[in-house]
Amino acid sequence: MQFKYFYIVLFLLFFITNNKQNSTDSNHDIELITTKTSYVAGENISLQFKGNTNASIYLLCANSYGTIVVSPSIENSTTSFQLPQNFANKSGTINWQLINDSVLKTGTLYINPQPKIKAIETYIGPPSIEAGATDYTMLVSIPTDHLDNPLADSTEVTVKHQFLDRNFKDNIIMKNGIAYKNIYSEKEDGRIIISTACLDLNSKEYDVNVVPAIPTNFEIDYSRIHEYADGNQITTFNTSELKDRYGNTVSDGTFVNFYLTNSKGYKSSTSGLTINGIAKAKFLHPDHEENFEVKAYVEGMAESNIIAISYKKAIGDFEIHFSEDKRTITVGPIESFMNQRVPDGLNVTLKIFKNDVLDHKIIKETREGFATFKLNKDRFPKGQYNFEFYAAGTTKSFTAIAYE
Amino acid sequence: MLLEQQNPLLPLPMSNINKSILRTALMLSYVIIIGLVVYGIASIYSYLNTGADRSKMLHTEVKKVEQYLPQLQWQPLTNEGRPMDQQTLKAIETDYLDAWYVKHVAYKTNTTKGITDYYTESSRENLYNIIQLNTESNTIIDATTLSHNPKLDFFSEDGQLAVLTDYDVVEYKRIFKDNNLISEVAEISDYRVTFLLEDGFWRIRHMIKLESHPFENETVQDTLKLDIKGINYYPQATAWDMYGDNFNTDTVAKDFKIIKDANLNSIRVFIPYESFGKANVDITKLDQVKQLLDLAKAEDLKVLITLFDFYGDYSVLDWTLTQQHAKKVVTALKDHDALLGWDIKNEPNLDFESRGESLVTAWLDKMIDLVKSVDGNHPVTIGWSNVESGEILKNKLDFISFHYYNNLEDLSEAYTSLKSKIKDKPIVITEYGMSSYSGFWKPFGPSEDNQAEYHKKIQTTFAEKDIPFMSWTLYDFSRIPKEVVGRLPWRKNVQKHFGFIDKNGAKKASFKYISSKE
């Protein structure tokens, strides 16, 4: 039984020694004198070997970015290889191979970044976030040493931020060559001021805007000079102050659309942008009696109550005068609610039918209360025509007008 | 004044003939000069009218050229920060590989072209420094990477910064100093890479080699399970060009029946690299190989597939494309029951002279790794053209194969000698044979009887030494593409007559000895 253990131990020993032999296999009377395998970036790196060498011996070195061949300097029986400075500046693993005709020795070095900081690169995005404590911006920071190597993982970075009257300070740890932190908004809108610090180096100031969240439902109202449908004056719609659900006034420029539905169900719209939370939109009075229902929307986000608005009839009956040859027709005077002549520009429409088929439609604007139609002989030759006039909600017809 | 009248019936005087000739010549030269002048003006006019093609103004048709396709396998996404989408991941992958590619090109040529696109302003300095060092020491690094296994560590919320760790990057480098190859290095390393999105490029900001050690891979897998008695196969009419429109399942099925009936159990076929579409393997042709395997299975024949026929580039920056090709072919066929194994390349030792032994061997070495990484079940070999090359890469191959066209008397000894050096692996002769051509180009060439005698003798040797074999070839061919043996008729005609069956389908005397007796 004891012998059994003895054999097992012997067997294991054999294995271990055997392994050792393997690892020093390519030892061609050359020994590495340099024992240091871990360096700090920028440190002078020189590998020295003892043993028989000739001139065609090289050291291949590969760092994080590429591979170079280093030539030796031989003194007595010591061969040394001086790694170029800017090659020794980059952190990461360096693997080296000592070669002449074959590979004599191989090994690796590790270059650590310097423990001192030179710069702190900071990336922040997105640059504006929504109030409400759910949205956040991310700060990513890459502190680097004097040789542009990112500092070692686990280096502590301090993130400071200020919002309204509150100051915050958090410590984060570098991982994967970076350190990052999510900075959440609060319920108020405003601006977050951010800075970072690492190993006594402070970054510059960064800011992130906290914009109000989406608006909540709101009220609308209107104001106008008078209530008459004169086709001339303008009604102004306005909203109450638009606020998000935390009571922040929405950003200037929020687009509000007002939809007006008339008594026949036809829709028109007008729109405005908010300033200090209030949007205003303009609407031209109709030229005839009309009732509207008005509702406003911030598309996809919020809507208003419905209000009703009615316009009274302003323009009554009007006269139509035919010239002797009936080819010059004067409409008017058209008079408004105080019997004043309507302002220039009211549309008067004349539809001309021949054999009960619409032959032509002419639209004229009034000037000083009158609209004049002149019907050319060539366009409307001898025959019978029916006329239909329309202005400000009133229609007047004349049948069997005969042209010579 | 009296003018001498000419009689029209009399032959014209000499001077008149000369005059006519002169006149004609003058007129002709006039026409030619005018023609030339018009042509000249026209070409000037059309030159002035050419300009930038409007359709090309926006560079909308920039085509992506496949020049660098190492194996790349993303590890499952578990990154911190913003969730990653496939489109961005693909963009990072493309730019990351391009960054490697421009770096390889930069170190190969010691120029800085393309680096600005893929490395940020401060990180490109590191590459410039190394290029400068290498220029000063007259060093050239010809390198490639063959495998990447990136894992995304971090993606920033604004989508502008990403960090990945690329595990087990297999790098292969050839290092030249003063134009002499001084070393070949294969390394396997882990890199951590920080990217910034700048101008639409994912540029490398930091790159850190975390770990690295020499790369060696000597996994030997499943060895040969079959006592090979086989033959190299091409159809009679479409030698070296049997896929595509030429592929005919009836012919193949008929031939496989003949092979099976002749007491053979395996065949060796070839997959040409270029006509199979290089890195973009032609699916139709690959399907035809599958059909061929199906037909082989029906006759219970095993198929040794030889890859990379007619490939001869081997340059390091071409490796990823060849590996992509092999990966696609091997992946598609590896699960087929009829598959015997993989022959990486036919007679690559013939390229040693023109491409360099170390380069070709390194390519083969890495290709073996790739094929084994894709197909862990089937044995891998290389069809060396002579017995002397048999020891190259012997540790990586699962069985050794070579071709034998030399003197029959020496075979036994050559085989024994190789066998004594490679004791633990089967050694197969995957090509041998004799042409029965004797004719105008080779008047005293061997006859069909000589050929039969040859096969009789060689079978005796095979039986004595227990040598697995695959003969060249079933048919006499009527047409040989020039890529095989060139255009010289005395070579072509010899190559046409290696078959056991002649042009007309009649079995030659040698057919009796196509296989062993039992």
Side-chain angles (χ1 to χ4, degrees):
Chain A
M1 209 50 195
Q2 279 174 343
F3 277 109
K4 194 174 167 188
Y5 284 117
F6 175 74
Y7 280 125
I8 290 173
V9 169
L10 201 71
F11 181 73
L12 284 174
L13 265 176
F14 171 78
F15 226 81
I16 290 162
T17 48
N18 207 22
N19 268 348
K20 244 183 185 169
Q21 269 171 3
N22 274 344
S23 65
T24 53
D25 191 15
S26 53
N27 186 355
H28 291 68
D29 304 334
I30 277 200
E31 265 182 66
L32 177 67
I33 304 171
T34 316
T35 49
K36 196 172 173 183
T37 55
S38 178
Y39 294 83
V40 171
E43 219 178 318
N44 180 35
I45 302 179
S46 170
L47 290 183
Q48 294 182 319
F49 296 89
K50 192 172 74 183
N52 301 328
T53 54
N54 53 31
S56 69
I57 193 164
Y58 296 112
L59 189 75
L60 303 183
C61 292
N63 74 353
S64 299
Y65 283 92
T67 307
I68 57 165
V69 176
V70 185
S71 299
S73 61
I74 301 172
E75 254 181 63
N76 302 326
S77 64
T78 309
T79 311
S80 50
F81 295 90
Q82 174 75 39
L83 266 60
Q85 193 55 53
N86 52 29
F87 193 80
N89 281 350
K90 299 316 295 180
S91 63
T93 303
I94 290 187
N95 16 3
W96 56 264
Q97 275 196 358
L98 185 68
I99 54 159
N100 54 10
D101 293 330
S102 60
V103 179
L104 302 178
K105 263 192 167 319
T106 62
T108 54
L109 308 174
Y110 195 83
I111 300 187
N112 295 294
Q114 294 175 331
K116 283 177 280 181
I117 189 167
K118 168 74 189 307
I120 182 162
E121 274 174 37
T122 306
Y123 301 91
I124 292 182
S128 64
I129 54 175
E130 193 188 87
T134 50
D135 200 7
Y136 59 91
T137 189
M138 181 186 272
L139 173 140
V140 185
S141 149
I142 312 178
T144 50
D145 65 12
H146 287 258
L147 300 164
D148 196 36
N149 298 306
L151 295 190
D153 278 4
S154 311
T155 306
E156 198 174 75
V157 176
T158 308
V159 179
K160 294 175 235 175
H161 73 275
Q162 182 272 336
F163 185 64
L164 301 176
D165 55 352
R166 300 187 277 277
N167 282 298
F168 303 87
K169 190 173 166 185
D170 299 282
N171 290 329
I172 51 175
I173 299 292
M174 276 185 76
K175 187 183 165 191
N176 298 321
I178 56 146
Y180 78 96
K181 174 159 182 59
N182 293 340
I183 296 169
Y184 282 80
S185 66
E186 299 191 33
K187 288 188 176 166
E188 300 92 341
D189 63 337
R191 181 171 291 182
I192 306 177
I193 308 293
I194 305 169
S195 80
T196 55
C198 178
L199 300 176
D200 300 332
L201 183 80
N202 287 292
S203 76
K204 63 174 188 176
E205 170 184 308
Y206 303 92
D207 55 58
V208 168
N209 282 321
V210 181
V211 297
I214 60 171
T216 49
N217 290 351
F218 53 94
E219 307 274 304
I220 53 170
D221 200 356
Y222 66 91
S223 60
R224 55 185 177 180
I225 304 294
H226 57 60
E227 54 185 3
Y228 294 105
D230 68 346
N232 190 43
Q233 293 303 322
I234 284 170
T235 299
T236 305
F237 295 106
N238 54 274
T239 64
S240 59
E241 191 179 340
L242 267 66
K243 293 191 171 187
D244 68 7
R245 64 185 188 281
Y246 310 104
N248 301 308
T249 304
V250 297
S251 307
D252 283 357
T254 302
F255 193 85
V256 183
N257 242 329
F258 295 80
Y259 289 94
L260 296 88
T261 312
N262 73 4
S263 48
K264 287 178 185 159
Y266 292 116
K267 283 186 196 285
S268 349
S269 82
T270 177
S271 61
L273 304 173
T274 64
I275 294 173
N276 297 328
I278 295 170
K280 290 180 191 295
K282 311 266 185 193
F283 183 68
L284 183 69
H285 284 212
D287 58 9
H288 58 279
E289 187 178 10
E290 189 62 274
N291 296 311
F292 292 101
E293 283 191 338
V294 187
K295 185 172 185 177
Y297 298 88
V298 178
E299 303 278 353
M301 299 181 200
E303 60 183 36
S304 74
N305 58 331
I306 298 172
I307 56 168
I309 179 167
S310 61
Y311 293 92
K312 282 187 179 165
K313 191 177 179 72
I315 299 162
D317 198 8
F318 50 84
E319 286 179 10
I320 293 165
H321 179 78
F322 287 80
S323 67
E324 204 164 322
D325 61 355
K326 297 177 182 165
R327 285 191 181 275
T328 304
I329 308 157
T330 313
V331 180
I334 303 176
E335 290 168 341
S336 191
F337 55 94
M338 296 187 300
N339 296 338
Q340 79 274 36
R341 294 196 178 169
V342 292
D344 289 355
L346 181 78
N347 280 350
V348 181
T349 310
L350 166 60
K351 285 180 179 168
I352 301 162
F353 297 87
K354 190 176 186 183
N355 305 329
D356 289 336
V357 177
L358 181 64
D359 185 32
H360 199 49
K361 182 178 163 184
I362 306 167
I363 299 172
K364 289 267 174 166
E365 291 182 350
T366 59
R367 185 167 284 269
E368 294 178 358
F370 291 94
T372 310
F373 297 90
K374 286 182 176 164
L375 302 182
N376 195 300
K377 222 175 186 171
D378 300 323
R379 177 65 182 82
F380 301 98
K382 187 177 175 180
Q384 284 216 336
Y385 297 90
N386 294 344
F387 291 163
E388 190 182 298
F389 295 89
Y390 172 86
T394 308
T395 305
K396 295 194 150 200
S397 297
F398 295 83
T399 49
I401 304 284
Y403 281 148
E404 287 302 311
Chain B
M1 205 164 75
L2 187 77
L3 284 173
E4 199 181 321
Q5 284 276 308
Q6 278 181 3
N7 187 339
L9 293 175
L10 286 173
L12 284 167
M14 233 16 211
S15 65
N16 266 13
I17 293 171
N18 282 347
K19 232 182 211 168
S20 302
I21 290 169
L22 195 66
R23 212 179 271 165
T24 318
L26 269 174
M27 272 169 66
L28 267 177
S29 61
Y30 176 76
V31 168
I32 289 167
I33 287 165
I34 292 294
L36 284 174
V37 168
V38 168
Y39 176 76
I41 291 168
S43 49
I44 289 168
Y45 179 79
S46 61
Y47 171 74
L48 292 175
N49 272 298
T50 54
D53 185 347
R54 285 186 188 185
S55 69
K56 286 175 183 151
M57 271 163 54
L58 291 173
H59 298 286
T60 48
E61 49 141 24
V62 178
K63 281 181 191 154
K64 188 170 157 49
V65 185
E66 286 182 336
Q67 50 205 0
Y68 195 61
L69 297 169
Q71 310 300 319
L72 187 141
Q73 184 63 51
W74 281 97
Q75 295 182 29
L77 290 172
T78 53
N79 62 296
E80 294 181 44
R82 173 173 161 157
M84 176 54 85
D85 58 289
Q86 284 305 315
Q87 191 178 344
T88 312
L89 195 68
K90 186 75 198 163
I92 294 176
E93 175 188 318
T94 310
D95 286 353
Y96 177 53
L97 290 183
D98 284 350
W100 275 101
Y101 182 73
V102 298
K103 188 164 90 168
H104 295 323
V105 173
Y107 290 157
K108 190 180 177 183
T109 55
N110 280 335
T111 56
T112 58
K113 201 173 178 188
I115 287 177
T116 46
D117 281 344
Y118 297 103
Y119 295 84
T120 64
E121 210 169 320
S122 36
S123 74
R124 62 184 78 132
E125 288 304 319
N126 304 317
L127 278 76
Y128 293 164
N129 285 336
I130 288 175
I131 290 169
Q132 201 194 340
L133 287 170
N134 285 342
T135 312
E136 282 163 9
S137 64
N138 202 9
T139 305
I140 284 172
I141 316 286
D142 190 6
T144 190
T145 58
L146 300 176
S147 161
H148 293 271
N149 301 287
K151 176 174 178 289
L152 188 73
D153 294 322
F154 176 76
F155 185 40
S156 75
E157 193 57 34
D158 56 358
Q160 307 282 308
L161 190 148
V163 181
L164 63 80
T165 309
D166 193 355
Y167 293 97
D168 297 341
V169 180
V170 176
E171 282 178 85
Y172 173 75
K173 302 176 206 167
R174 291 161 66 78
I175 294 133
F176 295 85
K177 190 167 166 60
D178 303 324
N179 293 325
N180 294 319
L181 178 70
I182 57 168
S183 187
E184 287 175 273
V185 184
E187 288 165 344
I188 182 160
S189 317
D190 297 346
Y191 285 93
R192 192 178 62 215
V193 190
T194 308
F195 292 92
L196 296 179
L197 182 63
E198 292 183 347
D199 308 341
F201 288 97
W202 282 98
R203 291 195 178 133
I204 293 178
R205 171 69 185 88
H206 289 296
M207 187 155 188
I208 291 171
K209 183 154 66 176
L210 302 174
E211 251 185 68
S212 182
H213 43 89
F215 177 66
E216 274 164 29
N217 196 352
E218 286 199 356
T219 51
V220 172
Q221 51 205 34
D222 219 2
T223 187
L224 218 48
K225 284 186 192 128
L226 183 74
D227 185 18
I228 295 179
K229 291 188 281 185
I231 192 163
N232 284 272
Y233 176 68
Y234 276 124
Q236 199 267 325
T238 55
W240 285 279
D241 188 19
M242 63 182 286
Y243 301 105
D245 292 343
N246 289 338
F247 190 75
N248 185 331
T249 45
D250 294 343
T251 316
V252 174
K254 208 175 85 227
D255 292 344
F256 282 2
K257 182 105 181 63
I258 297 172
I259 292 169
K260 181 70 189 172
D261 290 347
N263 192 25
L264 293 168
N265 61 15
S266 51
I267 57 164
R268 179 168 176 254
V269 297
F270 302 83
I271 293 190
Y273 175 63
E274 275 184 36
S275 77
F276 262 61
K278 299 185 186 177
N280 273 324
V281 177
D282 188 333
I283 302 298
T284 334
K285 290 185 174 174
L286 210 51
D287 273 344
Q288 292 172 341
V289 181
K290 277 185 204 159
Q291 291 174 38
L292 181 140
L293 288 167
D294 290 341
L295 295 170
K297 192 188 170 191
E299 292 293 345
D300 201 19
L301 293 171
K302 293 282 179 186
V303 183
L304 177 64
I305 294 181
T306 307
L307 302 168
F308 294 104
D309 214 20
F310 298 117
Y311 176 71
D313 188 347
Y314 303 103
S315 62
V316 176
L317 274 182
D318 198 40
W319 287 15
T320 60
L321 302 184
T322 56
Q323 294 217 339
Q324 192 72 15
H325 170 89
K327 187 184 178 189
K328 285 181 181 165
V329 173
V330 174
T331 307
L333 306 176
K334 66 173 181 170
D335 294 324
H336 204 287
D337 294 339
L339 185 63
L340 172 66
W342 303 101
D343 185 343
I344 299 290
K345 175 143 178 59
N346 184 48
E347 307 187 347
N349 51 320
L350 297 183
D351 295 323
F352 283 177
E353 201 176 320
S354 57
R355 304 286 168 178
E357 179 167 351
S358 67
L359 179 64
V360 176
T361 312
W363 180 87
L364 289 166
D365 185 325
K366 297 295 170 290
M367 194 55 75
I368 295 167
D369 290 344
L370 177 101
V371 171
K372 287 188 177 182
S373 75
V374 180
D375 180 359
N377 294 322
H378 292 96
V380 173
T381 189
I382 294 171
W384 303 109
S385 82
N386 55 37
V387 64
E388 291 80 16
S389 304
E391 281 186 85
I392 302 170
L393 293 170
K394 63 178 178 182
N395 292 333
K396 302 201 69 164
L397 297 171
D398 303 318
F399 71 96
I400 310 299
S401 63
F402 68 91
H403 302 163
Y404 195 81
Y405 289 102
N406 291 351
N407 203 337
L408 263 190
E409 274 73 51
D410 304 333
L411 172 62
S412 180
E413 198 191 317
Y415 189 85
T416 316
S417 149
L418 187 63
K419 190 83 199 171
S420 70
K421 288 173 200 152
I422 307 166
K423 292 198 176 74
D424 53 342
K425 291 178 186 180
I427 302 175
V428 186
I429 297 180
T430 46
E431 273 187 33
Y432 68 92
M434 181 191 236
S435 174
S436 63
Y437 178 72
S438 103
F440 178 77
W441 297 106
K442 198 174 179 190
F444 303 106
S447 66
E448 290 194 8
D449 290 339
N450 295 141
Q451 190 197 25
E453 187 62 23
Y454 169 90
H455 280 288
K456 186 181 173 186
K457 270 192 191 162
I458 206 164
Q459 280 299 343
T460 321
T461 315
F462 290 162
E464 273 171 17
K465 295 280 168 189
D466 197 15
I467 304 175
F469 61 88
M470 288 180 135
S471 56
W472 187 270
T473 178
L474 186 60
Y475 283 108
D476 278 358
F477 300 130
S478 38
R479 210 177 54 83
I480 310 258
K482 65 173 193 304
E483 290 81 8
V484 181
V485 288
R487 292 176 189 281
L488 301 173
W490 50 90
R491 292 220 178 133
K492 274 192 151 182
N493 278 301
V494 169
Q495 187 56 249
K496 281 178 184 174
H497 291 81
F498 271 89
F500 291 98
I501 300 174
D502 74 12
K503 264 178 215 151
N504 308 317
K507 288 172 182 166
K508 291 164 47 174
S510 54
F511 194 86
K512 228 169 113 185
Y513 308 105
I514 193 168
S515 181
S516 59
K517 296 259 157 47
E518 72 282 355

